[in-house]
Amino acid sequence: ADFGLASLRSGRVADGERHLEQALTLDPKLRYGDPLLRWADAAFRSGDQAKAIRLLERHRELHSSSIEGLYKLGRAYLSTGDRAKARAVLDAALDAYRTSPRFKRRSERGWWLASGLLRWRIG
C-alpha cells in the first residue's frame, strides 16, 4: 500500500492504483481504509470526482464513523452538484462526531469543524 501511495504522489498513477488495488485485495480492511482516503484525495485532485466518490463510499463501508472520510465524501458530492447527498453525508459526519468517544473527538476535531462549516455553507 505504501508503494502504491508513493507512486500516486510521484505521478505514476497507473502503477499506484495497481499496487493499491492489490494491497486492498489482499486485505480489504487495511489500516481502517486509510489507503482508500489517500487514493480518493489523488483522484479528487486530478479532477476525477466519480472515482473519488466510489473510493470514499468504499471507505465509508469500512469505517462509517470517520469524520475525515465523511467530510471528503460530502465535499466530493458537492463538487458534482449533488447538494442533497452532500448535506446528508455532512450531517452524518456531525452526528458521528457527537457520538464518538472523547479521544476520537480530539483527533477528528479539525474535520468536524470543516464539516460544520461546509454544511453551513450549503444550507
Side-chain angles (χ1 to χ4, degrees):
D2 291 333
F3 187 72
L5 292 171
S7 295
L8 279 179
R9 283 189 211 110
S10 67
R12 296 188 324 265
V13 177
D15 285 341
E17 289 180 345
R18 185 171 43 83
H19 288 293
L20 283 171
E21 197 59 55
Q22 286 175 346
L24 292 168
T25 300
L26 293 173
D27 184 6
K29 297 179 181 181
L30 181 70
R31 297 186 198 146
Y32 296 102
D34 188 60
L36 289 168
L37 281 179
R38 307 302 154 234
W39 188 0
D41 288 342
F44 192 79
R45 279 192 307 273
S46 71
D48 193 350
Q49 281 81 9
K51 182 186 282 185
I53 289 172
R54 282 193 311 273
L55 293 167
L56 290 166
E57 287 289 356
R58 273 176 71 183
H59 178 266
R60 187 179 188 185
E61 291 171 8
L62 294 174
H63 195 43
S64 62
S65 64
S66 166
I67 291 102
E68 177 184 3
L70 292 169
Y71 165 77
K72 290 179 178 183
L73 182 59
R75 188 183 68 184
Y77 277 130
L78 191 58
S79 73
T80 64
D82 195 341
R83 295 170 69 87
K85 282 188 179 178
R87 186 178 302 120
V89 169
L90 292 169
D91 285 344
L94 297 173
D95 288 341
Y97 181 82
R98 286 185 201 106
T99 59
S100 294
R102 183 175 287 156
F103 76 92
K104 188 69 174 164
R105 282 186 292 202
R106 213 172 298 129
S107 66
E108 298 263 31
R109 188 166 288 132
W111 295 111
W112 169 74
L113 289 170
S115 298
L117 289 173
L118 190 58
R119 173 64 180 89
W120 177 77
R121 207 174 84 200
I122 41 181

